Structure formats: C-alpha cells, structure tokens
C-alpha cells in the first residue's frame, strides 16, 4: 500500500499503465482460469477453481463495502470501463467496452474518469489475490455487487472477459456522457444508442444516480457540501441526487420529478428524463413503481456489463466452459423467479457457445429465461417421436421450409405466422401460458402442416419461428440467431385473448404502437426495426380492410394476384420500406397510419431515418429484434432423454 500512496501523491503519467502491486501479473486471455507458474497450486486451475476465485472475490468486495461505503465509485468503475463501447466498430478491442482498459493511465486521465484512480486502488488488493480473474471481470463484479449490497436488484452476470494488453488498446476520449450538453436528450441518445442501448435502458441506467454524489473539484458540478453530505460517510462533502445516497431505490426519480429540495442535485441530463416525451414514459413509471425499476435496471446493467466484452472461457481439454453466476441470496429464501438462472453444464460445441454469447450480450426479456446449452435444438420432452437427432430434425425442417419458399413464394405469410404467434406476449403476466407469446397453438397453416408431420420432434412453436426466420433470410434479409426447444400449449383454453396485436389505423398511432410493443418489453428502436418487415408482403382489403384491390406491382402475383404492397419488390427483404415511406412518391405503395408515424414521432424518426440511409444498420437491428421477439413468452423444455 505504500506504493499506492506514493502513486496517489505524485499522480500517474497518461502514457503509463498502472504498476503491478504485490507481484500482480496482467492476465492474458490464454491465462484465464490458470494460476501463474509461481502459484502454490499445481498446474492449471480447474474451471471450478475459477468459479471459487470469483465467489471469493465477490465476498472480498462485500467485506470492503462493509468497512468502506464505496458503493458509488465501484458502480462508476464498472460503468466507465464498459461505457466506451461503440457498436459500429466490430474489431476488438477498438470497439471499446468491458475489457479492463480503465486500468491504464492513458484512459484514467480522461476527463470523465476523474477520481476513478481511487476506485482502482480499492479493488487492486482484491484482484491481486485472484490471478484467474481478469481486470475486466473484477470491475464488473465490483459494480454489480455494490448495487446489490446497497439494496438494489440482483444483477445476472457472466464472467470470462478478456483484458486488453496495454494502453495502446484504450478507447479514445469522448465516448462517455457529459453532464451539461447543449441538447441533453440528443446527447444521451447519441452516447447510449452508440452502445446499442434503448430509451428504456437510458432511463433505467440513469437511476443508478440514486447512489453517490457529485464533487465540484472533480466534475465541476454540485455544491461543496449539503446537509446530506457534510458528515460523510466517507470523506465529507459534495452534493447527492438523493438524501440516502448509499441506498439503491427509486428515490432518484421521485426527487427529480418533485424538485422540492435545493440540497439535492439535478443535472440537465437528469431533468430531461421528465421532459423528453419518450424518456418520460419510463421515468414516470419508475417513480411510481420501484419493482419495475429494479427489474428493468437489472437487465440494463447486465447488458451494459457485457458490451464489447470478448469472452475467452477456460479451456479444459476439449470443453469450452463459461460460467453464469448469480449472487447467493442472503437468506434461505430462493431468488425471485425473474432473476433465477438455469444451470447449464459444460457443452463442447463452440457453435452453441457463440449463440449463447450473442443472446447474453443482446439480452432477453426478464420473463423469457435463457435456455441452457442442452436445450438448444433439442427435442421437447413431451414429443411422441422416437429419440433421435433433434438438431438434424430442425435442419431438415428448415430445408423443407426453404423448398416451400422456392416453390410458393410464401415468405410474407410465414413471417406473419411467427410474428402473430409471438406477438401476443404480455410481460406483465408471469404465468405461462397466460402471458401469451411463442406457444404454437394457432391453427397450423396448410403450408406448414406437411413439414410438421415429417418432423414430429419439432414443436409447432419452434416450427412457426423457424419458418418466419427462414423466410426473412431466404428473401435476402439478415441471418436471425435462433434457439429452439419451445413448448406448445396443450388446448384452446390456453390461447391469449384477442386484442394484443397492433392495429393498422388506431386513433393515435405512436401511442398505440408503444402500448402494444412496450407490453411485450420491446423498445422504440425495436418497434421501428420490426416495422421494417413490411418490406415484404401486401395488404388485402378483403382481409384487413386496408389496401387497394390490386396495383401495378401485385396484379400479376406472384401467388394469388391482388392487394397493395408497401414496396415495389415485395418479396425482397431490404430497407426500401423506409425509403418509400419517407419519399411517398408512388400512390401504388401502401402507407398505413402506423407506417407514417415512424417519420413523424421524434423518437421513432431517429431510427427510421437511420434505416432509410443505412441498410446494414437496419439488418443488424432487425436481426436482434426478430430474435428477441421469437423468444417472448416461450417456455423452453429440454428433453430429459437426450444427452
């Protein structure tokens, strides 16, 4: 610690990485899960030892928090390491994110990181005890633990992040949010959309300001002290956002809304949460409902902690292992259902692991648990088919769907089939199957039934989603990352009620779309991206009451002629839907009220303009949104007789 004190007194050079302490070694990806050669352990540590080290490190962080109320700065440490992520940069580590780069002086001297050297030295003694734990992991572990120990929600975390090797791999300055930009709402969206986060996640993550205080000598914001900070705890001074600034709750939103106490801080980027129309929906919700805030915060924090992370799990023989950890509850009571994590033994298939990583980084609805590795592509336990290769059956079904598409050009109706089975999901209903979603009880279309009969081990719920995703891909759209193992409902009584799907011409289109899609747990970005699937298909007045009987684009088919399409090439999946709505130069192309509003609503318009200009961005966001939709309300049941 004498070394630490000397460094604190003299400061760090921007070009100098943090010196090692107590013989600490920077752990390369290849070393993850192995002790250094000088360790008293013999040979490389087993994967179980890595888990033990992580649990021990978490316990050490808890003890640190008991003796030193440093919760706010540990949360900030994890946030600032992950928050440099840029989803538009695909190369690691140039994309930034949770990669341990914040340990280098070149990044520590960024203006937004002022004061974080103190946080680094709080966790270094813990890091030095556990050579199998990377800096990237310890930063995120400390941040999540601090939230939980302050009374916040349990954060579902995964570990195995690789560290960058030196200061040259640090991200450039300027990727973290400022406190007082010229246009707060625009600035927040610019920063957080760059990370791939939504309006809901912006507001939820802002709620972490319920912890901590601003110090004018560090950030230029806040009073030197207030009645809430004059006596500490910790070093006295600064201005907090809440009166109990070491307690994680929803008081941040309540205080901003009421603004009755001049000793409480409200930055421009705080105030805008109740001023911007899209942000306000969530801010009002969280001010009234702490449980809703906790649920959304836990998901957003977990997603943030994985941004830009390169997961390099320990290699034991031929098995690649990634551990998913949930903190042990403090009592014998089980964790709330939405925060439980299914156990998943090691699986040797790297392809399956890639799917899991994508899903974890993207995030699933809290009511849609991630299936274990054994569930991916497996036969449901209730299937009457003889045991066999379920993955082969799924591949066979997909090939049959492709042949069907080649012969009938039924892409649009197959996309609609999967959408309408999943789109009945209501995140506010936790009981399955009352919640609706991808449960496979709609009447099987004549097109799909012969394929279902060939592959008895594939459920209707899986086949509907498989057909929908395959139709998108075969029409020239993006590859949709899919998982399988959905359970079918058993009887018509389990069908969801009518009225959960979007209407074409509601009185208030933007409000209606948000009501329907927010109920599913989807964001404004996902609403606009999913709307882009109208690039396929046509409306028929005899079915929906919308569209012309025929146009120059539909009078000759393909398929049964007639109807009105949104695009001229209505069997090609591209971004022409957004281009045509924006331009509105062809009266033979359909524009519903729920289409037009995408360029009229201020929040929707950001994405609609982006997708009209950039097809690659549309494809990327659509693929993620479609995959998320396909899992809404799904109950995954792996086979009990398959290994």
């Amino acid at each position: 610690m004498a070394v630490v004190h000397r460094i604190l007194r003299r400061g760090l050079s921007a070009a100098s990485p943090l010196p090692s302490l107590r013989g600490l070694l920077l752990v390369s990806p290849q070393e993850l899960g192995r002790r250094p050669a000088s360790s008293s352990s013999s040979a490389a540590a087993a994967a179980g030892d890595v888990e033990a080290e992580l649990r021990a490190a978490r316990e050490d962080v808890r003890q640190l928090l008991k003796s030193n109320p440093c919760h706010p700065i540990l949360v900030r440490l994890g946030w600032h390491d992950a928050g440099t992520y840029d989803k538009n940069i695909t190369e690691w580590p140039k994309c930034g994110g949770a990669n341990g780069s914040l340990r280098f002086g070149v990044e520590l001297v960024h203006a937004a990181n002022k004061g974080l050297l103190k946080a680094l030295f709080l966790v270094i003694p813990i890091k030095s005890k556990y050579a199998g734990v990377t800096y990237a992991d310890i930063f995120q572990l400390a941040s999540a633990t601090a939230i939980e120990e302050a009374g916040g929600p349990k954060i579902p975390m995964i570990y195995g992040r690789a560290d960058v090797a030196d200061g040259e791999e640090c991200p450039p300055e300027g990727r973290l949010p400022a406190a007082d930009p010229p246009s707060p709402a625009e600035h927040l969206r610019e920063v957080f959309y760059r990370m791939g986060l939504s309006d809901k996640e912006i507001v939820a993550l802002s709620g972490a300001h319920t912890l901590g205080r601003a110090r004018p000598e560090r950030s230029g914001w806040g009073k030197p002290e207030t009645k809430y900070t004059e006596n500490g705890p910790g070093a006295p001074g600064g201005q907090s956002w809440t009166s109990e600034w070491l307690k994680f709750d929803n008081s941040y939103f309540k205080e901003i809304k009421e603004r009755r106490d001049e000793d409480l801080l409200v930055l421009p980027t705080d105030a805008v949460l109740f001023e911007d129309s899209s942000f306000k929906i969530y801010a009002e919700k969280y001010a009234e409902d702490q449980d809703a805030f906790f649920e959304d915060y836990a998901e957003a924090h977990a997603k943030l902690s994985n941004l830009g992370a390169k997961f390099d799990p320990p290699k034991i023989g031929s098995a690649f292992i990634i551990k998913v950890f949930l903190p042990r509850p403090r009592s014998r009571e089980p964790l709330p259902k939405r925060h439980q994590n299914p156990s998943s033994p090691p699986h040797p298939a790297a392809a399956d692991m890639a799917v899991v990583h994508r899903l974890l980084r993207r995030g699933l609805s809290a009511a849609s648990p991630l299936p274990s590795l054994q569930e991916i592509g497996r036969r449901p336990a209730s299937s009457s088919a003889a045991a066999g290769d379920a993955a082969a059956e799924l591949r066979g079904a997909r090939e049959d769907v492709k042949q069907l598409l080649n012969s009938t050009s039924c892409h649009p109706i197959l996309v609609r089939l999967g959408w309408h089975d999943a789109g009945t999901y209501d995140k506010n209903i936790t009981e399955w199957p009352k919640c609706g979603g991808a449960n496979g009880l709609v009447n099987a279309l004549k097109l799909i039934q012969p394929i279902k009969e060939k592959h008895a081990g594939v459920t209707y719920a899986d086949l509907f989603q498989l057909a929908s995703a395959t139709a998108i891909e075969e029409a020239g759209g993006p590859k949709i990352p899919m998982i399988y193992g959905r359970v079918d409902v058993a009887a018509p009584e389990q069908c969801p009620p009518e009225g959960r799907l979007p209407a074409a011409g509601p009185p208030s289109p933007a409000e209606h779309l948000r009501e329907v899609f927010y109920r599913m747990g989807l964001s404004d970005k996902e609403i606009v991206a999913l709307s882009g699937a109208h690039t396929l298909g046509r409306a028929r007045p005899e079915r929906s009451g919308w569209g012309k009987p025929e146009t120059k684009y539909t009078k000759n088919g393909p398929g049964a002629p007639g109807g009105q399409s949104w695009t001229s090439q209505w069997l090609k999946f591209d971004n022409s839907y957004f281009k045509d709505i924006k331009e509105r130069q062809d009266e033979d192309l359909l524009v519903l009220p729920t289409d037009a509003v995408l360029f009229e609503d201020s929040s929707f318009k950001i994405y609609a303009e982006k997708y009209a200009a950039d097809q690659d961005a549309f494809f990327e966001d659509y693929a993620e949104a479609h995959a998320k939709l396909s899992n809404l309300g799904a109950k995954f049941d792996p086979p009990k007789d398959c290994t």
Side-chain angles (χ1 to χ4, degrees):
M1 291 310 294
V3 175
V4 175
H5 294 159
R6 286 198 301 272
I7 294 172
L8 285 170
R9 283 196 296 270
R10 73 170 185 264
L12 273 179
S13 164
S16 304
L18 185 71
S20 61
L21 299 178
R22 301 182 183 178
L24 175 64
L25 299 176
L26 301 185
V27 183
S28 70
Q30 292 75 21
E31 294 174 300
L32 179 63
R34 298 203 302 253
R35 298 184 186 276
S38 59
S39 170
S40 57
S41 300
S42 57
D49 291 337
V50 179
E51 178 177 347
E53 283 197 308
L54 282 161
R55 291 194 182 279
R58 183 179 183 275
E59 186 58 31
D60 286 356
V61 171
R62 291 182 62 190
Q63 294 304 316
L64 168 66
L65 292 165
K66 288 179 181 179
S67 61
N68 184 338
C70 56
H71 306 68
I73 202 167
L74 293 191
V75 173
R76 186 169 166 239
L77 176 67
W79 271 50
H80 283 220
D81 195 45
T84 59
Y85 176 64
D86 188 339
K87 68 181 179 63
N88 302 306
I89 301 174
T90 58
E91 183 180 350
W92 188 91
K94 289 183 179 179
C95 59
N99 57 28
S101 62
L102 194 48
R103 73 192 192 273
F104 292 101
V106 67
E107 187 172 345
L108 279 167
V109 298
H110 290 178
N113 294 329
K114 194 169 183 180
L116 280 180
L117 183 61
K118 178 181 178 182
L120 205 58
F121 284 126
L122 288 169
V123 300
I124 279 178
I126 298 174
K127 169 67 183 81
S128 66
K129 289 173 63 177
Y130 307 106
V133 179
T134 62
Y135 283 101
D137 273 352
I138 199 73
F139 293 170
Q140 299 308 320
L141 181 151
S143 184
T145 303
I147 292 289
E148 297 162 18
E149 291 298 302
K154 303 291 184 184
I155 313 293
M157 297 290 287
I158 59 174
Y159 296 101
R161 298 169 186 79
D163 285 336
V164 296
D166 55 52
E168 292 181 359
E169 296 182 317
C170 289
E173 189 167 7
R175 292 190 182 179
L176 294 169
D180 184 26
S183 176
E186 182 178 345
H187 173 72
L188 286 176
R189 288 193 171 101
E190 179 183 356
V191 172
F192 284 91
Y193 285 5
R194 188 207 67 226
M195 302 182 209
L197 300 175
S198 66
D199 284 3
K200 180 175 77 171
E201 290 161 334
I202 291 172
V203 181
L205 290 171
S206 297
H209 275 156
T210 195
L211 297 180
R213 47 196 168 157
R215 293 181 177 274
E217 68 273 17
R218 293 180 182 173
S219 65
W221 289 92
K223 297 179 179 181
E225 71 175 26
T226 70
K227 60 179 177 282
Y228 302 118
T229 66
E230 60 184 347
N231 296 317
Q239 186 176 15
S240 57
W241 284 264
T242 63
S243 57
E244 293 182 88
W245 49 271
L246 287 177
K247 180 182 179 182
F248 194 97
D249 57 18
N250 68 333
S251 59
Y252 166 79
F253 297 103
K254 293 179 178 179
E255 300 292 359
I256 295 173
K257 183 178 181 179
E258 295 171 358
R259 298 200 203 181
R260 296 177 180 174
D261 193 334
E262 64 182 15
D263 267 352
L264 296 180
L265 182 62
V266 179
L267 298 172
T269 45
D270 300 318
V272 77
L273 302 184
F274 284 89
E275 296 166 354
D276 178 88
S277 60
S278 180
F279 291 159
K280 187 177 181 180
I281 295 169
Y282 304 108
E284 292 277 3
K285 177 183 177 182
Y286 299 154
E288 295 175 4
D289 187 344
Q290 182 168 286
D291 288 342
F293 167 49
F294 274 26
E295 180 175 341
D296 290 350
Y297 180 85
E299 288 191 7
H301 186 125
K303 184 174 180 179
L304 176 72
S305 76
N306 293 321
L307 296 181
K310 178 181 179 182
F311 288 93
D312 193 351
K315 186 176 182 181
I316 310 297
S318 62
F320 286 83
I321 304 168
I322 188 164
K323 292 289 183 180
V324 184
F325 297 104
L326 280 177
R328 292 173 175 169
R330 300 180 198 175
S331 68
R332 294 183 180 272
E333 297 178 2
L335 292 174
K337 184 175 181 180
R338 67 176 179 267
H339 295 309
Q340 288 177 345
N341 185 73
S343 60
S344 54
H347 193 289
D352 283 354
M353 291 306 305
V355 173
V356 174
H357 290 170
R358 285 198 301 271
L359 290 168
L360 287 166
R361 284 195 292 270
R362 182 176 73 239
L364 288 175
S365 165
S368 303
L370 181 70
S372 67
L373 297 180
Q374 287 184 325
E375 296 177 57
I376 297 175
R378 301 301 194 190
R379 187 192 308 275
S382 59
S383 173
S384 60
D389 191 338
E393 276 206 284
L394 284 161
R395 288 193 294 269
R398 185 174 187 276
E399 188 59 34
D400 288 345
V401 169
K402 289 171 67 175
Q403 294 302 318
L404 172 67
L405 292 164
N406 288 337
S407 61
T408 65
S409 301
C410 59
H411 306 69
I413 202 168
L414 292 193
V415 174
R416 185 167 171 242
L417 173 67
W419 270 52
H420 282 222
D421 196 39
T424 58
Y425 175 65
D426 188 335
K427 68 182 178 64
N428 301 306
I429 301 174
T430 57
E431 182 182 350
W432 187 89
K434 289 183 179 179
C435 60
N439 54 35
L441 196 64
V442 296
N443 291 329
L445 299 179
K446 292 180 180 179
L447 292 167
I448 288 294
Q449 187 61 31
I451 299 175
K452 175 69 180 77
E453 290 173 356
K454 281 182 64 178
H455 305 284
V458 180
T459 63
Y460 282 101
D462 272 351
L463 186 57
F464 292 167
Q465 299 309 319
L466 180 151
S468 184
T470 303
I472 293 291
E473 297 166 17
E474 290 297 299
K479 300 292 183 183
I480 314 294
M482 298 290 289
I483 57 176
Y484 297 102
R486 296 170 186 80
V487 176
D488 287 336
V489 297
E493 304 85 69
Q494 296 179 317
C495 288
E498 189 172 3
R500 291 189 182 178
L501 294 169
S508 177
E511 182 179 345
H512 174 72
L513 287 175
R514 288 193 171 99
E515 179 183 354
V516 171
F517 284 91
Y518 285 5
R519 187 207 67 226
M520 302 183 209
L522 300 174
S523 66
D524 284 1
K525 180 175 77 170
E526 290 161 335
I527 291 172
V528 181
L530 290 171
S531 297
H534 275 155
T535 195
L536 296 180
R538 46 195 168 159
R540 293 181 177 274
E542 68 272 18
R543 294 179 183 174
S544 65
W546 291 91
K548 297 180 179 181
E550 71 174 24
T551 71
K552 61 179 178 281
Y553 301 117
T554 65
K555 63 182 180 181
N556 296 319
Q564 186 176 14
S565 58
W566 285 264
T567 63
S568 58
Q569 294 183 283
W570 49 271
L571 286 178
K572 180 182 179 183
F573 193 97
D574 57 16
N575 68 334
S576 57
Y577 166 78
F578 297 103
K579 293 179 179 179
D580 288 330
I581 294 174
K582 182 178 181 179
E583 296 170 359
R584 298 201 201 181
Q585 295 178 352
D586 192 332
E587 63 181 12
D588 267 352
L589 296 180
L590 182 62
V591 179
L592 298 172
T594 45
D595 301 317
V597 77
L598 302 183
F599 283 90
E600 295 166 353
D601 179 88
S602 59
S603 179
F604 291 159
K605 186 177 181 180
I606 295 169
Y607 304 108
E609 292 279 4
K610 176 182 177 183
Y611 300 152
D614 187 344
Q615 181 168 285
D616 288 342
F618 167 50
F619 274 26
E620 179 180 348
D621 290 350
Y622 180 86
E624 289 196 2
H626 186 127
K628 183 174 180 178
L629 176 72
S630 76
N631 293 319
L632 295 181
K635 179 180 179 182
F636 290 91
D637 187 10
K640 303 300 187 291
D641 58 346
C642 292
T643 58

